[in-house]
Amino acid sequence: NAGVTQTPKFRILKIGQSMTLQCAQDMNHNYMYWYRQDPGMGLKLIYYSVGAGITDKGEVPNGYNVSRSTTEDFPLRLELAAPSQTSVYFCASTLERESGELFFGEGSRLTVL
Amino acid sequence: AQSVAQPEDQVNVAEGNPLTVKCTYSVSGNPYLFWYVQYPNRGLQFLLKYITGDNLVKGSYGFEAEFNKSQTSFHLKKPSALVSDSALYFCAVRPRGGSTLGRLYFGRGTQLTVWP
């Protein structure tokens, strides 16, 4: 099993550019999440999805967008990149909404210059 | 508001000694409690969780955690630390029921260093 796969692993963007971070899971999990990790700040939830076609905002959604057209894929779109979006982004999924542990991807390190 | 506190940014311990990484939380009801570990340039890996029952939970790599309801704490422990345990550890909580839809609330993380 591949688990949760994120691409790309590293990316450098110029201010104002746009890009999409890809996330795919092969565990048939309905629940998927995008977090960003900043040093000393833990993980902050950007967006989440409870199934195909259903998404909602987390704590820090500004400047991002998501879609969930299939159970497997949950891409994160950055529009008009800003230096404040320099971070490490993690995609995660879980089978059980309450007691289930999250499975994380390896992360995507994004730098905006 | 839900919050998770890891009061120590860093914990240093000698190999072979016991280790404790502290976590307290402020979450309504009786939440589910989790510990994750992150090695450099990797994603977070699940260590253990508390759902119900025995207050002492055993997890991966010899780690265990003690749930204390009255103190709203969930401290991570290991009887004998290894150098390979050096990593960043995150405590996380998930409220039961309600509209949180499975999201986890994370602490800021504690960097554990085990020296030989």
Side-chain angles (χ1 to χ4, degrees), chain A residues 53-72:
Chain A
I54 306 170
T55 64
D56 208 346
K57 297 177 181 178
E59 300 172 81
V60 289
N62 291 345
Y64 307 95
N65 217 330
V66 293
S67 59
R68 186 94 182 270
S69 56
T70 66
T71 298
E72 293 77 19

Side-chain angles (χ1 to χ4, degrees), chain A residues 7-21:
Chain A
T7 56
K9 293 189 185 301
F10 303 94
R11 183 73 186 268
I12 298 175
L13 282 182
K14 294 182 179 179
I15 294 173
Q17 287 185 319
S18 300
M19 75 161 297
T20 299
L21 300 178

Side-chain angles (χ1 to χ4, degrees), chain B residues 28-61:
Chain B
S28 56
N30 297 313
Y32 300 98
L33 305 166
F34 300 81
W35 275 101
Y36 287 83
V37 59
Q38 185 182 30
Y39 297 101
N41 302 313
R42 302 296 299 276
L44 279 71
Q45 297 177 31
F46 167 75
L47 272 181
L48 51 79
K49 65 181 175 182
Y50 174 82
I51 299 177
T52 188
D54 194 346
N55 290 344
L56 188 64
V57 178
K58 294 190 183 297
S60 307
Y61 312 120

